[in-house]
Amino acid sequence: MIAFLRGKLAEAYPHQAIVDVGGVGYATNIPLTTFDKLPQQGGEVRLLTHHHVTEREHTLFGFYTEDERDLFRLLIDRVSGIGPKMALSVLSGMPVAAFKDAVIRNDTAALARIKGVGKKTAERIVLELKDKVGVVDAWQAAEVARGTHDPKQAAISDAVLGLIALGYKQSEAQKTVNDLVKASTEPVRADKLIREALRAMQ
């Protein structure tokens, strides 16, 4: 699996970037939020990637930030009826922070204004991310931790979000992480919590 690309930006379009990595051009589909952050043609660029495989084709999707890639994966993996094309439309139509805020506030009208989404899909996004996945609770906890500048709580929230991105439900991830924190006397780090939680939940 290709995790990221680093090289020269050979070509850039609102929907696609071609990155020259050692003489090989990798075509990656990108959202507008990533396109807006790209350097000039020929400049050094690093894109986080998602390698999407179907029976008919292999496709690379590129993202400037981890938040963009995490949201893309969350949408295609956890919301029924949303594929890579629509997930890119969501990212292109709304910054990640605004999307999270809309879901937290049940603002389906704002989501429905995104090209290609519509009212029914917007309602399904909110319903499934809130009730089935529970990611909204983790988003809210992360915001509180950042606002209070609590590094321990921030690490816990980041670990829970990381586990949700890997396919676990919020309630299961939160309980496992809380149990690990209570049992440990060492400083809390998100990456370590994720590794230990994955072992505990196997």
Side-chain angles (χ1 to χ4, degrees):
M1 180 176 175
I2 302 171
F4 69 89
L5 298 174
R6 180 186 285 120
K8 292 182 179 180
L9 183 64
E11 297 179 43
Y13 309 96
H15 65 286
Q16 188 180 72
I18 299 176
V19 183
D20 181 341
V21 182
V24 179
Y26 290 87
T28 63
N29 294 330
I30 59 173
L32 283 174
T33 47
T34 288
F35 174 74
D36 290 340
K37 299 182 183 77
L38 292 176
Q40 294 293 320
Q41 186 172 331
E44 182 82 8
V45 65
R46 181 179 185 271
L47 293 179
L48 301 173
T49 57
H50 174 82
H51 186 194
H52 191 73
V53 181
T54 66
E55 292 182 357
R56 290 168 35 176
E57 61 183 0
H58 289 221
T59 310
L60 269 181
F61 294 88
F63 308 93
Y64 200 80
T65 67
E66 284 190 25
D67 283 346
E68 289 174 340
R69 184 172 65 178
D70 287 348
L71 179 55
F72 175 85
R73 287 175 169 171
L74 186 69
L75 289 170
I76 65 173
D77 290 340
R78 312 303 289 277
V79 181
S80 57
I82 290 192
K85 185 176 180 180
M86 184 174 288
L88 273 193
S89 291
V90 170
L91 284 167
S92 292
M94 185 177 285
V96 173
F99 174 87
K100 290 179 179 180
D101 185 60
V103 174
I104 289 169
R105 293 186 295 104
N106 292 311
D107 191 354
T108 55
L111 297 173
R113 287 195 290 271
I114 298 172
K115 184 178 179 182
V117 174
K119 182 181 178 182
K120 287 186 177 180
T121 301
E123 290 172 348
R124 188 166 66 250
I125 288 171
V126 171
L127 174 69
E128 297 194 8
L129 290 184
K130 271 198 155 182
D131 297 342
K132 291 187 179 180
V133 180
V135 71
V136 170
D137 291 337
W139 285 344
Q140 289 175 311
E143 285 298 315
V144 170
R146 279 193 285 270
T148 57
H149 304 289
D150 184 342
K152 179 179 177 181
Q153 192 56 51
I156 292 171
S157 298
D158 288 344
V160 172
L161 287 170
L163 291 167
I164 290 172
L166 292 171
Y168 293 94
K169 289 188 176 180
Q170 187 273 342
S171 56
E172 182 183 13
Q174 188 73 60
K175 182 181 183 306
T176 303
V177 169
N178 286 345
D179 290 345
L180 288 169
V181 171
K182 287 178 184 177
S184 176
T185 57
E186 298 179 5
V188 176
R189 292 201 343 256
D191 57 343
K192 185 178 179 183
L193 282 174
I194 291 172
R195 287 196 299 271
E196 292 179 350
L198 288 173
R199 284 196 291 269
M201 292 189 288
Q202 283 180 351

